């Protein structure tokens, strides 16, 4: 038996939120009460800590196969466990991409060795080519939990519609990285700070919410479940809410950085504050918080994506003075 004492016990399902002791027997919680005293058992003092159900992160990049100099499934799983996550879902932008059953099986075999639940999506299109759908049915049967070309937006509305129709037929879903390349500038910088401080065209808001608008309307037409990844703009929240109110089966996620920081961080943290989608405005930060509170955004996902230290050290362009 095990007693966890003095922790702040939080259970979202029941609404419990209080300092309590927990009695665990044979791996199961058998009692939660303000005080438990049992002789001769292991005791963990959780004073100052939160005791809660294991967290789930549906959007991580563990870089295996092909980029293990950044991270692999084992180190990623250890990092997740250290943060309280007991289930994670890996994205498919590996090398090779997870576009076929053989690669998926290799990844899942590696994942099965870990002490947390490590699941994986497969790509929507073959090797991220944006044109040819993967074999959704075979990949689902092999263990994929969904489909995403995360990191690369799907530019073809025809392909998006075909993917949604296939997902609907197989009772699965697709997750979309929304960012129209034709409407964007330099990634990593929000358009405002890019223009004012670096005199370049940065990542525009319209590139995000215009593509979301297109895709949620296709979702409405196909009745497929579509998940919008890491939205970051106030307008994006409004577009998702509009589609949901129409009856579209659309869900959305936000990453912690987009409700905790703004583009101003670039001025103090430099390249360490570059990310995609970029940090946005204070009005956007507040809007995604309201989206979480209202339920329009139903998921917080980290988009955990380690990069090699040398790559992160690349400097931001200095402020340019035009003559």
């Amino acid at each position: 038996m095990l007693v966890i004492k003095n922790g702040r016990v939080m259970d979202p399902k029941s609404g419990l939120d209080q300092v309590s002791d927990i009695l665990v027997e044979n791996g199961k919680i058998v009692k939660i009460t303000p005080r438990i005293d049992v002789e001769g058992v292991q005791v963990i003092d959780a004073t100052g800590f939160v005791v809660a159900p294991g967290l789930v992160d549906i959007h991580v990049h563990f870089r295996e196969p092909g980029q293990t100099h950044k991270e692999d499934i084992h180190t990623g799983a250890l990092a997740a466990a250290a943060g309280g996550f007991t289930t994670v879902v890996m994205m498919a932008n590996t090398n090779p991409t997870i576009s076929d059953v053989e690669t998926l099986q290799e990844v899942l075999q590696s994942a099965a060795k870990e002490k947390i639940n490590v699941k994986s999506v497969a790509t929507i299109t073959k090797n991220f080519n944006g044109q040819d759908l993967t074999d959704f049915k075979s990949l689902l049967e092999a263990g994929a939990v969904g489909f995403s070309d995360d990191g690369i937006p799907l530019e073809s509305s025809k392909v998006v519609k075909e993917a949604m129709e296939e997902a609907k037929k197989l009772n699965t879903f697709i997750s979309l990285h929304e960012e129209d390349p034709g409407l964007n500038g330099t990634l990593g910088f929000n358009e405002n700070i890019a223009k004012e401080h670096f005199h370049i065209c940065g990542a525009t808001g319209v590139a995000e919410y215009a593509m979301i608008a297109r895709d949620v309307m296709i979702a409405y037409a196909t009745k497929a479940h579509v998940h919008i990844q890491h939205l970051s703009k106030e307008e994006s929240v409004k577009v998702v809410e509009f589609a949901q109110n129409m009856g579209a089966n659309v869900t959305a996620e936000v990453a912690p950085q987009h409700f905790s920081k703004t583009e101003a961080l670039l001025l103090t943290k430099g390249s360490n504050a570059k990310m995609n989608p970029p940090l946005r405005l204070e009005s956007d930060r507040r809007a995604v918080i309201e989206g979480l509170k209202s339920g329009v955004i139903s998921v917080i996902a980290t988009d955990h994506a380690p990069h090699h230290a040398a790559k992160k050290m690349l400097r931001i362009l200095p402020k340019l003075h035009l003559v």
Side-chain angles (χ1 to χ4, degrees):
M1 288 196 295
L2 166 69
V3 176
I4 302 172
K5 297 189 69 68
N6 305 316
R8 180 183 175 185
V9 181
M10 301 180 69
D11 178 18
K13 186 174 183 179
S14 66
L16 178 66
D17 184 358
Q18 66 183 40
V19 175
S20 294
D21 293 353
I22 299 175
L23 178 64
V24 181
E25 187 173 357
N26 297 324
K28 294 184 177 181
I29 294 173
V30 295
K31 184 185 290 187
I32 300 175
T33 190
R35 185 176 177 87
I36 298 174
D37 293 306
V38 181
E39 296 291 331
V41 300
Q42 181 185 0
V43 175
I44 295 176
D45 184 4
T47 301
F49 291 90
V50 170
V51 185
L55 300 176
V56 177
D57 191 348
I58 67 167
H59 190 149
V60 304
H61 300 264
F62 280 179
R63 306 305 193 192
E64 182 183 334
Q67 303 172 64
T68 53
H69 61 290
K70 299 178 180 181
E71 183 170 71
D72 58 26
I73 290 173
H74 180 60
T75 59
L78 290 175
F85 292 88
T86 54
T87 299
V88 298
V89 179
M90 299 182 294
M91 295 296 105
N93 62 334
T94 50
N95 186 20
T97 60
I98 304 174
S99 298
D100 56 74
V101 168
E102 181 181 10
T103 304
L104 175 63
Q105 288 177 335
E106 290 176 1
V107 166
L108 293 179
Q109 286 170 6
S110 180
K113 301 173 185 176
E114 304 305 322
K115 294 183 179 180
I116 67 167
N117 302 309
V118 180
K119 303 180 183 297
S120 182
V121 301
T123 64
I124 295 173
T125 63
K126 295 178 181 178
N127 300 314
F128 279 21
N129 70 10
Q131 295 297 323
D132 305 301
L133 296 187
T134 55
D135 186 342
F136 280 26
K137 186 174 186 295
S138 294
L139 288 161
L140 285 171
E141 291 172 349
V145 296
F147 298 86
S148 177
D149 277 11
D150 180 55
I152 304 292
L154 288 173
E155 297 186 57
S156 169
S157 55
K158 177 176 180 290
V159 171
V160 169
K161 183 173 182 287
E162 290 172 348
M164 290 186 192
E165 290 171 341
E166 186 69 5
K168 173 66 176 176
K169 182 174 72 175
L170 296 171
N171 195 31
T172 186
F173 69 99
I174 62 171
S175 298
L176 297 174
H177 176 116
E178 303 288 43
E179 182 181 63
D180 187 334
L183 298 175
N184 243 347
T186 302
L187 301 182
F189 305 78
N190 187 42
E191 58 189 315
N192 299 73
I193 200 167
K195 179 180 179 181
E196 294 172 10
H197 290 271
F198 303 105
H199 298 280
I200 59 175
C201 178
T204 66
V206 69
E208 177 178 292
Y209 56 77
M211 188 168 265
I212 291 176
R214 179 198 72 173
D215 291 344
V216 297
M217 288 297 94
I218 299 174
Y220 172 75
T222 60
K223 302 187 184 325
H225 178 191
V226 172
H227 181 72
I228 306 300
Q229 297 178 297
H230 47 52
L231 59 74
S232 63
K233 287 293 296 177
E234 178 179 4
E235 294 89 345
S236 299
V237 180
K238 292 178 180 178
V239 170
V240 170
E241 183 178 21
F242 175 80
Q244 290 172 345
N245 288 339
M246 286 186 65
N249 189 6
V250 175
T251 54
E253 71 186 45
V254 65
Q257 59 269 24
H258 291 118
F259 59 74
S260 59
K261 301 295 181 182
T262 69
E263 62 175 8
L265 195 66
L266 281 161
L267 301 180
T268 57
K269 297 298 183 181
S271 61
N272 282 326
K274 287 178 62 181
M275 60 194 71
N276 195 34
L279 297 174
R280 302 287 193 179
L281 303 174
E282 175 64 10
S283 56
D284 297 314
R285 188 185 75 84
R286 291 182 179 275
V288 296
I289 290 174
E290 290 305 312
L292 283 166
K293 291 167 67 175
S294 69
V296 171
I297 303 170
S298 55
V299 177
I300 297 173
T302 67
D303 196 8
H304 170 88
H307 291 278
H308 193 272
K311 188 172 183 180
K312 284 299 291 183
M313 288 174 64
L314 292 175
R315 294 181 179 179
I316 290 178
L317 291 171
K319 186 172 180 179
L320 301 178
H321 298 278
L322 301 181
V323 178

